[in-house]
């Protein structure tokens, strides 16, 4: 080689040995990721049904269509061209009226209930059983509420009657004491009593006054003094008491 000429370095340019990059591949590689929104929801693949599920859905669809067609035919009136309808017309039947000579028979045909379950006639379907249980639970709750209301009313009436008996007995005691010219001792609570004394008085057992006790004191007033507590007056004699007084208790007046 000549000394003044510079040799070409054939290893200097490595790009000569690299194949050119396909622009279409680079676009496909980066376009989808660049255009994808970071907050975009990821679409889920729809769940595919098995052939058994497809078959079951198709069977239920056909059953619904058959039921709708059957109900539509039942709701439709029997045409006058029907042989049975013409026979009824010849025997005096008029559309819209009841059957029978005196018109006391059936006015509507026997209803039809479509049953898709394999249970025997008269046996409840699962839906009917669930509805029956709901009705029974509602009925039990209603009866329980009525019993509670009745029990509460009974207890209130009993409590009111007991208070009424005690009040009438106290009035009868006062009337008897006045007729016998005795002094009535009434217990009065003083304002200066200590709280301990009040607590002790509340703890004391009260005397129970029954309806029999009230009857005895009322009979004593009537027999000894010809006096009726509910009439509020003293009669001259036993005969006047028997003829003018309606009865022994307040309910009789």
């Amino acid at each position: 080689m000549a000394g003044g000429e510079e040799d070409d370095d054939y290893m200097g340019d490595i790009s000569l040995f690299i194949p050119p990059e396909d622009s279409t591949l680079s676009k496909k590689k980066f376009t989808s990721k660049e255009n994808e929104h970071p907050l975009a929801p990821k679409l889920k693949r729809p769940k595919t049904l098995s052939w058994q599920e497809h078959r079951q859905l198709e069977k239920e669809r056909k059953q619904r269509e058959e039921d709708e067609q059957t109900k539509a035919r039942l709701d439709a009136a029997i045409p006058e061209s029907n042989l049975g309808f013409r026979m009824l017309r010849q025997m005096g039947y008029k559309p819209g009226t009841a059957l029978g000579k005196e018109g006391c028979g059936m006015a509507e045909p026997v209803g039809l209930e479509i049953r898709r379950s394999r249970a025997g006639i008269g046996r409840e379907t699962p839906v009917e059983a669930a509805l029956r249980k709901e009705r029974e639970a509602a009925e039990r709750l209603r009866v329980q509420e009525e019993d509670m209301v009745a029990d509460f009313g009974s207890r209130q009436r009993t409590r009111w009657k007991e208070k009424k008996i005690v009040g009438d007995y106290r009035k009868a005691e006062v009337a008897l004491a006045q007729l016998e010219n005795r002094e009535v001792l009434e217990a009065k609570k003083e304002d200066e009593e200590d709280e301990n004394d009040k607590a002790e008085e509340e703890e004391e057992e009260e005397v129970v006054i029954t309806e029999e006790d009230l009857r005895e004191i009322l009979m004593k007033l009537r027999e000894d003094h010809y006096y009726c507590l509910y009439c509020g007056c003293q009669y001259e004699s036993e005969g006047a008491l028997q003829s003018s007084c309606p009865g022994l208790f307040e309910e009789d007046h």
Side-chain angles (χ1 to χ4, degrees), residues 152-216:
F152 176 77
S154 177
R155 286 188 283 106
Q156 289 293 105
R157 287 190 296 270
T158 302
R159 187 177 302 176
W160 177 85
K161 186 176 181 180
E162 292 175 353
K163 290 183 179 180
K164 188 70 172 59
I165 290 174
V166 173
D168 292 347
Y169 185 86
R170 300 302 182 195
K171 293 178 183 178
E173 278 186 331
V174 174
L176 183 62
Q178 291 176 352
L179 292 172
E180 294 179 351
N181 296 323
R182 292 189 291 105
E183 295 182 355
V184 181
L185 300 179
E186 298 181 357
K188 297 182 180 180
K189 295 182 181 180
E190 300 179 357
D191 297 336
E192 297 82 11
E193 288 182 351
D194 299 335
E195 294 182 358
N196 295 333
D197 296 338
K198 291 182 180 180
E200 291 177 359
E201 291 178 0
E202 292 177 356
E203 291 177 357
E204 290 180 356
E205 184 178 359
E206 297 182 356
V207 178
V208 179
I209 298 175
T210 62
E211 189 174 0
E212 187 64 27
D213 298 333
L214 178 61
R215 177 186 291 272
E216 290 179 0

Side-chain angles (χ1 to χ4, degrees), residues 117-131:
S117 64
R118 296 187 177 182
I121 297 176
R123 187 175 180 85
E124 291 181 330
T125 62
V127 177
E128 293 174 347
L131 294 175

Side-chain angles (χ1 to χ4, degrees), residues 31-205:
T31 301
S32 60
K33 292 185 178 180
E34 291 176 356
N35 296 336
E36 184 179 0
H37 195 276
L39 299 179
K42 296 182 179 180
L43 299 177
K44 296 182 178 180
R45 293 183 178 180
K47 183 181 178 180
T48 58
L49 301 177
S50 61
W51 66 271
Q52 294 94 340
E53 294 174 341
H54 278 292
R55 184 178 179 181
Q56 182 65 23
L57 292 175
E58 184 66 19
K59 181 180 179 181
E60 293 176 357
R61 185 185 63 80
K62 289 182 179 180
Q63 288 180 353
R64 287 194 298 268
E65 292 179 355
E66 292 177 1
D67 294 345
E68 292 176 358
Q69 293 175 2
T70 304
K71 291 180 180 179
R73 288 194 297 268
L74 291 175
D75 294 338
I78 299 175
E80 296 184 1
S81 59
N82 184 273
L83 179 60
F85 186 84
R86 286 185 293 175
M87 292 177 63
L88 289 174
R89 290 290 295 268
Q90 291 176 2
M91 288 185 289
Y93 172 74
K94 295 180 181 180
T97 60
L99 298 176
K101 183 177 179 180
E102 299 179 358
C104 57
M106 297 179 59
E108 297 292 335
V110 179
L112 176 64
E113 180 184 358
I114 301 175
R115 297 177 62 89
R116 288 296 180 183
S117 64
R118 296 187 177 182
I121 297 176
R123 187 175 180 85
E124 291 181 330
T125 62
V127 177
E128 293 174 347
L131 294 175
R132 178 180 56 79
K133 291 180 180 179
E134 290 180 1
R135 289 194 298 268
E136 291 177 353
E139 181 65 18
R140 287 195 300 269
L141 181 61
R142 184 187 64 81
V143 173
Q144 184 179 2
E145 291 178 352
E146 290 181 355
D147 293 343
M148 291 176 62
V149 171
D151 181 64
F152 176 77
S154 177
R155 286 188 283 106
Q156 289 293 105
R157 287 190 296 270
T158 302
R159 187 177 302 176
W160 177 85
K161 186 176 181 180
E162 292 175 353
K163 290 183 179 180
K164 188 70 172 59
I165 290 174
V166 173
D168 292 347
Y169 185 86
R170 300 302 182 195
K171 293 178 183 178
E173 278 186 331
V174 174
L176 183 62
Q178 291 176 352
L179 292 172
E180 294 179 351
N181 296 323
R182 292 189 291 105
E183 295 182 355
V184 181
L185 300 179
E186 298 181 357
K188 297 182 180 180
K189 295 182 181 180
E190 300 179 357
D191 297 336
E192 297 82 11
E193 288 182 351
D194 299 335
E195 294 182 358
N196 295 333
D197 296 338
K198 291 182 180 180
E200 291 177 359
E201 291 178 0
E202 292 177 356
E203 291 177 357
E204 290 180 356
E205 184 178 359

